[in-house]
Amino acid sequence: MSHDGMRRGVCFMAVCLLVGVRPASAGGYRDFVNGLNAKPPSGSRFRPDLEAKLASLVSAYREGEGKEPVAPDDTFLDAARAHAADMMLNGFMGHSSSSGLSFQGRMGALVGDVTRYPSLGENAARDTQDTPVDDAKARAILEQWINSRAHRKVMVNRSFHFVSTGVIQRENKIWAVQIFFGTPRKKGLFQ
């Protein structure tokens, strides 16, 4: 095979991988998210009250740090809730899904062209202490983020204007995810 033929073959395989695999995994992840949100895992429930509390707490913290508050926004609510449920269900903490999809990959699977969002960030935590599931537990999650340099940096990033918060509870434990984002563009770079 000639050098040009080999190059064309490699390019063709790369295009097939990019075009063929990504949409399938994106659709699969989207279905996974929709399923978790439609029917949370047995013995668990989403906590809109604690979601609102965490959004309020993070905005107050930002204001205390001399930053503009973030506005609660449902754009990434399904993503935040599903990731919290995924972590609870599969016993892990992190920013990739249990199937290995990165944060950017997860967001792309749900919104398509993520370049519409010039800034995106995420914080995730859990509280498994044997304490009542109330506002104090939400404050304990916030304290985890404040005490982590990387999470604190996300919370006070000036480019973020909105936050979608997902909280799921099982027994007296909660898992929480906040997805921060800036003002979206009307069109992404690839639209």
Side-chain angles (χ1 to χ4, degrees):
M1 179 181 273
S2 73
H3 185 52
D4 285 340
M6 185 179 285
R7 187 178 321 147
R8 278 193 298 269
V10 169
C11 287
F12 176 75
M13 287 176 16
V15 167
C16 286
L17 285 173
L18 289 173
V19 172
V21 173
R22 288 185 73 203
S25 65
Y29 184 71
R30 193 176 312 108
D31 292 343
F32 178 69
V33 166
N34 291 339
L36 283 175
N37 281 296
K39 186 177 181 198
S42 180
S44 68
R45 65 186 177 111
F46 294 114
R47 291 291 304 266
D49 58 323
L50 296 182
E51 292 167 351
K53 183 64 177 180
L54 270 171
S56 173
L57 288 170
V58 79
S59 281
Y61 179 76
R62 285 173 60 95
E63 287 183 295
E65 295 294 307
K67 310 294 189 288
E68 293 292 320
V70 286
D73 187 288
D74 288 348
T75 299
F76 292 102
L77 177 63
D78 285 348
R81 284 181 169 177
H83 192 58
D86 188 15
M87 291 187 301
M88 177 198 73
L89 188 61
N90 292 296
F92 75 97
M93 285 299 304
H95 300 288
S96 294
S97 69
S98 59
S99 63
L101 203 56
S102 70
F103 173 67
Q104 282 296 107
R106 289 175 25 235
M107 297 305 98
L110 298 173
V111 299
D113 186 358
V114 295
T115 65
R116 280 195 58 230
Y117 299 89
S119 56
L120 278 168
E122 177 179 69
N123 282 344
R126 68 179 166 221
D127 184 306
T128 58
Q129 299 297 311
D130 190 16
T131 56
V133 179
D134 56 12
D135 288 359
K137 209 168 221 10
R139 282 190 292 279
I141 292 280
L142 181 76
E143 287 301 317
Q144 288 181 45
W145 290 332
I146 290 170
N147 293 329
S148 161
R149 185 173 183 237
H151 291 96
R152 187 174 57 251
K153 187 175 177 183
V154 169
M155 283 195 310
V156 297
N157 185 317
R158 289 181 190 270
S159 69
F160 297 140
H161 305 288
F162 305 98
V163 65
S164 295
T165 305
V167 176
I168 193 163
Q169 174 186 351
R170 183 170 59 194
E171 298 170 355
N172 64 345
K173 302 171 180 126
I174 63 170
W175 288 258
V177 173
Q178 286 193 313
I179 299 173
F180 296 86
F181 56 102
T183 303
R185 299 177 176 107
K186 290 190 189 301
K187 288 187 174 184
L189 299 177
F190 304 111
Q191 295 178 327

